Amino acid sequence: MPESPRTAPAFLWGTATSSHQIEGHNRANDWWAWETQGRLKEPSLAACDHYERFEEDVALIAGLGHNAHRFSLEWSRFEPEEGRWNEEAFKHYDEVFQALKNRGIEPVVTLHHFTNPEWFSLKGGWLQDRAVFYFSRYVERVVKAYGRYVKYWITINEPTIYIYFGFYEGSWPPGNMCYRDAMKVFRQLLLAHMEAYRIIHRHYEEALQKPAAVSIAQHMTYFTPCRHDSFGDRWAVFLRDWFVNHLFWRAGLTGHLFFPGIFSEFLGSRGCFDFLGLNYYTRDFIRFGEWFGEKSVGGICDKAHHRIQVRESSAMGWEVHAGGLYELLKRLRGYRLPVMVTENGIATREDAQRVRFIREHTHAVHKARHAGVPVMGYFYWSLLDNFEWAHGFDPRFGIIEVDYQSQERKLRPSAHVLSECCRKIEHELSRA
Ligand code: IFM
């Protein structure tokens, strides 16, 4: 059995990023292809030029006192063409790991954060039968290369969001709008996670003889009925919460929830999460759709007719609601696994709003810990302003402002507030 995540540092904290959103010039992936087809209002181009400026960015993280950093490896840099492995990429990320290690910053590493190599997509992406094989081959390589630096791995970032936009709504590559494809990709991602889990643990046990902790980062929204007195709305919330928030956890933990039998060879009796990674942003009000079928998970209310006051929203139009983080954390207690808040953040041009957001959400973490939820870490999204996918560069999520012309970085006051709030939790925990 893997050890549970180690106790020092008592509380992992810092920020989260992803390769395509900050590195710049990720020319060999499917998002780059999508962007160059002119499907978005603006392409990622140089983004934050983090690929070249990672030393400077790691120094900023260290200056803020972060003890951990979540970031993703870009598969398309390692394997820009099928079966051709790029030594330069291996060397580059080795330098990133070294930079973090030299400053005592614990890496939390994501293996898949929405992007795929273009060659993989052209072969059918996650719908092709060999998808899990290709992904596992990449995982095997990077785990062997970097296992010595890493304890915490996130195999897949937000599988349900990736599936929703890429295979159901169609606004992200590959632009499918097909319920059956979406279900197939769900199954493939689950298998890919399980296989990656197995590869990581086998390598750590056999070659490294140290523990690894593996999970996904699951996007969870706090759903609430539009009308509390409506049984239909409450039913829709129940189903939506089950399918959108919990199905991946359930299927991964039991191995046979909706697809009996097929996972037992991977799992034996144990599930495939060592902790739970939670990405939380907002609450949604849900209205009844239909009792059974595709629409039984209800619809997101346009917020004109529910009776609860929405106090404030972000530049994305997402309600700011720290109470939702607290509630979701309490619900995750039932899984009896440590929880890492792998993402939580706000897009705003008013840094005072970000300051409030950080204070309220870290307070929710603190409260949840007191309510018995083993929250082991908190990562604010994001370190830098960055490329927010279909929304381009307009939304500003960073605790560090980026001038995209000069690539100059400027610390916002919220950067210091994040450190202050997280240090308090870390301090309290290390005394406990
Ligand atoms: O920018 C994204 C990130 O890639 C995944 N989680 C949500 C963030 C904000 O939308």
Side-chain angles (χ1 to χ4, degrees):
M1 276 293 280
E3 274 175 33
S4 56
R6 67 166 175 252
T7 46
F11 185 71
L12 296 166
W13 63 273
T15 56
T17 62
S18 91
S19 54
H20 192 72
Q21 292 176 271
I22 59 170
E23 283 181 352
H25 302 303
N26 274 319
R27 292 191 178 87
N29 73 28
D30 54 353
W31 265 87
W32 187 271
W34 186 257
E35 292 160 24
T36 49
Q37 287 157 15
R39 307 230 193 193
L40 303 178
K41 64 173 189 183
E42 54 187 339
S44 59
L45 300 176
C48 310
D49 196 28
H50 175 77
Y51 198 80
E52 302 298 334
R53 294 167 194 257
F54 72 90
E55 292 273 11
E56 177 188 347
D57 293 337
V58 171
L60 288 170
I61 295 168
L64 289 165
H66 298 189
N67 66 22
H69 180 56
R70 179 177 168 225
F71 67 103
S72 74
L73 301 177
E74 178 62 36
W75 179 6
S76 67
R77 286 197 188 263
F78 291 103
E79 194 182 5
E81 288 160 31
E82 184 183 347
R84 182 171 74 76
W85 299 93
N86 176 13
E87 277 315 311
E88 194 276 326
F90 281 94
K91 189 166 158 288
H92 168 81
Y93 286 105
D94 201 274
E95 287 168 7
V96 174
F97 281 112
Q98 280 290 352
L100 291 169
K101 190 175 168 208
N102 292 343
R103 291 174 167 88
I105 298 168
E106 182 78 41
V108 176
V109 183
T110 310
L111 291 162
H112 184 273
H113 195 120
F114 300 156
T115 56
N116 302 295
E118 176 62 348
W119 63 261
F120 173 85
S121 297
L122 291 173
K123 287 177 91 93
W126 285 98
L127 288 166
Q128 70 192 297
D129 291 342
R130 283 168 70 78
V132 177
F133 163 80
Y134 288 128
F135 181 69
S136 308
R137 199 171 60 172
Y138 146 68
V139 172
E140 191 120 30
R141 296 248 174 177
V142 294
V143 167
K144 278 196 181 135
Y146 306 123
R148 65 203 159 103
Y149 297 116
V150 186
K151 175 170 182 181
Y152 302 96
W153 293 94
I154 299 291
T155 57
I156 296 168
N157 182 70
E158 297 182 349
T160 47
I161 294 289
Y162 174 68
I163 293 167
Y164 180 79
F165 287 116
F167 296 88
Y168 188 69
E169 197 217 52
S171 57
W172 287 9
N176 286 18
M177 288 192 273
C178 171
Y179 186 68
R180 288 179 64 147
D181 283 357
M183 289 314 291
K184 177 160 186 195
V185 175
F186 182 93
R187 180 175 174 279
Q188 296 273 69
L189 292 180
L190 191 51
L191 284 169
H193 164 75
M194 289 171 169
E195 187 58 10
Y197 182 91
R198 199 179 58 77
I199 290 169
I200 295 168
H201 278 295
R202 197 187 48 206
H203 182 67
Y204 276 58
E205 273 155 31
E206 289 173 4
L208 299 175
Q209 277 125 37
K210 65 171 193 174
V214 185
S215 190
I216 59 162
Q218 171 72 342
H219 189 283
M220 294 175 80
T221 300
Y222 179 56
F223 298 121
T224 193
C226 185
R227 298 156 300 180
H228 273 274
D229 51 359
S230 155
F231 180 71
D233 287 5
R234 289 187 6 231
W235 169 245
V237 164
F238 170 77
L239 288 182
R240 186 176 274 256
D241 186 52
W242 174 258
F243 282 105
V244 179
N245 284 340
H246 291 277
L247 183 59
F248 210 99
W249 294 133
R250 295 275 173 198
L253 284 167
T254 62
H256 54 73
L257 187 64
F258 277 79
F259 315 103
I262 63 166
F263 303 128
S264 41
E265 68 194 272
F266 292 98
L267 289 174
S269 58
R270 106 182 166 207
C272 58
F273 302 112
D274 300 317
F275 63 95
L276 305 173
L278 163 65
N279 290 4
Y280 173 77
Y281 286 87
T282 191
R283 148 171 90 169
D284 276 337
F285 293 89
I286 303 302
R287 273 181 90 78
F288 177 72
E290 61 187 13
W291 291 109
F292 302 102
E294 233 179 277
K295 295 204 178 89
S296 58
V297 293
I300 297 174
C301 164
D302 64 10
K303 305 196 172 170
H305 40 242
H306 58 69
R307 295 176 204 146
I308 302 164
Q309 198 65 38
V310 170
R311 189 174 48 106
E312 68 174 302
S313 299
S314 74
M316 306 289 286
W318 301 344
E319 186 196 4
V320 176
H321 184 62
L325 176 58
Y326 176 66
E327 291 302 327
L328 289 174
L329 285 170
K330 277 202 310 187
R331 282 184 203 169
L332 289 176
R333 196 170 43 188
Y335 289 105
R336 297 175 189 282
L337 284 170
V339 184
M340 186 190 281
V341 179
T342 35
E343 279 180 35
N344 174 232
I346 182 169
T348 178
R349 285 176 185 260
E350 301 296 324
D351 197 52
Q353 193 187 18
R354 189 178 347 268
V355 164
R356 270 199 313 278
F357 181 98
I358 291 173
R359 287 200 191 284
E360 288 171 7
H361 285 75
T362 51
H363 182 66
V365 168
H366 169 83
K367 244 174 71 184
R369 281 210 54 98
H370 278 260
V373 189
V375 190
M376 61 189 273
Y378 177 88
F379 292 85
Y380 176 81
W381 183 273
S382 184
L383 177 67
L384 306 167
D385 291 336
N386 61 54
F387 177 68
E388 177 57 19
W389 309 110
H391 298 277
F393 290 100
D394 209 33
R396 300 281 177 155
F397 276 95
I399 52 169
I400 297 178
E401 182 185 341
V402 177
D403 175 335
Y404 294 114
Q405 297 305 315
S406 63
Q407 292 294 354
E408 193 198 337
R409 275 80 163 134
K410 218 186 270 167
L411 290 188
R412 293 191 165 114
S414 54
H416 302 291
V417 172
L418 176 70
S419 302
E420 173 203 317
C421 294
C422 290
R423 270 197 188 112
K424 267 193 209 149
I425 304 180
E426 186 187 2
H427 186 62
E428 188 183 285
L429 282 180
S430 55
R431 282 184 313 158

